[in-house]
Amino acid sequence: MNQPAQGPSDLLVVGGRSFRSRLLVGTGKYKDFDETRLAIEASGAEIVTVAIRRTNIGQKAGEPNLLEVIPPSRYTILPNTAGCYTADDALRTCRLARELLDDHRLVKLEVLGDPKTLYPDVPATLEAAKQLVKEGFEVMVYTTDDPITAKRLEEMGCVAVMPLAAPIGSGLGIQNKYNILTIVENARVPILVDAGVGTASDAAIAMELGCDGVLMNTAIAEAKHPVLMASAMKKAIEAGREAFLAGRMPRRRYASASSPKEGLPF
Amino acid sequence: MQIQVNGATEVVPEQSTLSQLIDRLRLSGKRVAVELNGEIVPRSAYAARPLKENDVLEIVAAIGGG
């Protein structure tokens, strides 16, 4: 049997762009820009999310800007709609991001339902996705781990569907592996787990399930040593991907000896 | 005249343009995007865009987020 593609030839393709790294990282919650930069470098991520917010009026001239730390010339910037609770707010945010990033079309859509769970508002997400696709955006969409919703979003023209593993920032890991598996099996666009990953094994599990990638922020930024965790996540994503491609052994209830039964000297 | 910038009232001279406001706010050359009364104004149009009394502006930038 031929070996599946791996290493440099195993690429993540999102909306026509190809990436070597399957780890996407956020830029929130870091101590400072130095830590942000070092963690992102250690993660090997090529796609990096940013939030769009009102600029500080009266800020000091020369105050560093996030996009100087993660230059768009080096990274694919993925502006998100975090903090948006209506489809309309998400649309406005995406249009501002497109202008901010010089006609940049790739966005991460999230429309939230309530501040306690930060769970997606699915009807509003569907409404916003439809309009964004119509306006020419390439939409990577954050959603619940519901296979039907994931399929609808794909059918609407989203370039990637990103079900949550667990609530944003919870670090609880994948709560519904079978749903994620079903979403992956049904999909014709990349499926990325977005939100809820806590540590390296969570990321590896997502990849072993066949996800195309994982997007995370808090798991790295809130680790005691974010740069080291970023490096751990890079390895977990690669290990999980290779394990998925390799195809795991079947589970058995009872033992199966690894050494031959024949030729025992007694 | 009075305008609203990012939720706060700003007083600007009559017949100011958007690019003059951006200068005053020391944002020229910075990577920002502007929404004026709900419509995006492209960077290339700042100089030609006059401001009116009670205009509502949102000026945004990219910050850390997931």
Side-chain angles (χ1 to χ4, degrees):
Chain A
M1 211 164 94
N2 288 334
Q3 283 241 113
Q6 56 175 12
S9 56
D10 176 38
L11 299 173
L12 167 65
V13 180
V14 180
R17 297 177 176 83
S18 299
F19 302 93
R20 287 182 310 277
S21 171
R22 292 174 178 273
L23 174 56
L24 287 68
V25 297
T27 52
K29 300 182 177 174
Y30 285 101
K31 188 177 71 192
D32 52 35
F33 279 158
D34 257 353
E35 191 182 70
T36 310
R37 181 177 54 79
L38 292 171
I40 291 170
E41 281 172 5
S43 77
E46 296 166 283
I47 304 177
V48 177
T49 64
V50 301
I52 305 297
R53 290 290 180 275
R54 285 173 165 173
T55 187
N56 269 337
I57 301 295
Q59 65 188 350
K60 294 181 216 93
E63 200 171 287
N65 175 300
L66 178 63
L67 293 178
E68 289 159 15
V69 179
I70 45 154
S73 54
R74 178 165 169 200
Y75 295 100
T76 296
I77 306 297
L78 182 62
N80 69 27
T81 63
C84 293
Y85 287 86
T86 66
D88 193 47
D89 285 350
L91 294 173
R92 284 175 69 188
T93 303
C94 289
R95 292 171 189 143
L96 282 163
R98 180 158 77 182
E99 164 62 21
L100 183 71
L101 296 164
D102 307 316
D103 203 32
H104 178 90
R105 304 291 173 111
L106 190 68
V107 291
K108 172 183 159 179
L109 171 65
E110 52 184 300
V111 187
L112 303 171
D114 82 53
K116 183 175 176 184
T117 64
L118 297 179
Y119 229 63
D121 180 330
V122 169
T125 302
L126 290 162
E127 184 191 334
K130 189 174 172 189
Q131 183 60 27
L132 287 170
V133 169
K134 205 165 123 189
E135 292 182 22
F137 284 94
E138 294 177 282
V139 182
M140 300 179 73
V141 59
Y142 166 68
T143 186
T144 53
D145 57 8
D146 164 19
I148 306 304
T149 301
K151 196 66 190 172
R152 293 284 177 273
L153 288 162
E154 173 189 314
E155 288 163 356
M156 291 168 82
C158 293
V159 297
V161 177
M162 307 200 291
L164 52 80
I168 293 173
S170 69
L172 290 173
I174 300 184
Q175 293 301 297
N176 204 338
K177 285 200 265 186
Y178 293 101
N179 273 26
I180 299 289
L181 188 60
T182 305
I183 292 170
V184 167
E185 285 171 352
N186 290 343
R188 282 199 220 96
V189 295
I191 302 298
L192 295 93
V193 156
D194 177 8
V197 165
T199 188
S201 53
D202 297 333
I205 289 168
M207 297 310 293
E208 287 170 14
L209 289 169
C211 289
D212 297 279
V214 178
L215 197 167
M216 65 178 76
N217 187 344
T218 310
I220 297 174
E222 278 191 4
K224 207 174 283 174
H225 301 291
V227 180
L228 188 55
M229 186 57 90
S231 161
M233 290 298 186
K234 176 178 196 265
K235 291 166 184 151
I237 294 284
E238 288 169 0
R241 177 65 182 173
E242 288 189 6
F244 169 72
L245 293 173
R248 60 153 298 149
M249 61 161 282
R251 288 177 174 84
R252 296 186 185 94
R253 183 138 173 240
Y254 294 107
S256 164
S258 300
S259 308
K261 290 186 204 90
E262 298 77 30
L264 286 164
F266 45 80
Chain B
M1 63 181 173
Q2 284 197 351
I3 58 171
Q4 293 285 316
V5 181
N6 289 356
T9 303
E10 289 272 334
V11 180
V12 296
E14 297 290 328
Q15 294 173 346
S16 294
T17 63
L18 181 52
S19 71
Q20 285 164 339
L21 175 71
I22 296 286
D23 275 348
R24 262 171 60 99
L25 299 174
R26 287 188 282 178
L27 292 172
S28 19
K30 304 234 176 207
R31 211 182 248 276
V32 295
V34 177
E35 190 194 72
L36 173 56
N37 302 328
E39 298 281 321
I40 304 287
V41 184
R43 211 164 297 150
S44 57
Y46 291 174
R49 189 64 184 248
L51 296 174
K52 303 185 308 295
E53 180 88 29
N54 300 324
D55 271 348
V56 178
L57 288 115
E58 293 292 342
I59 307 178
V60 302
I63 65 146

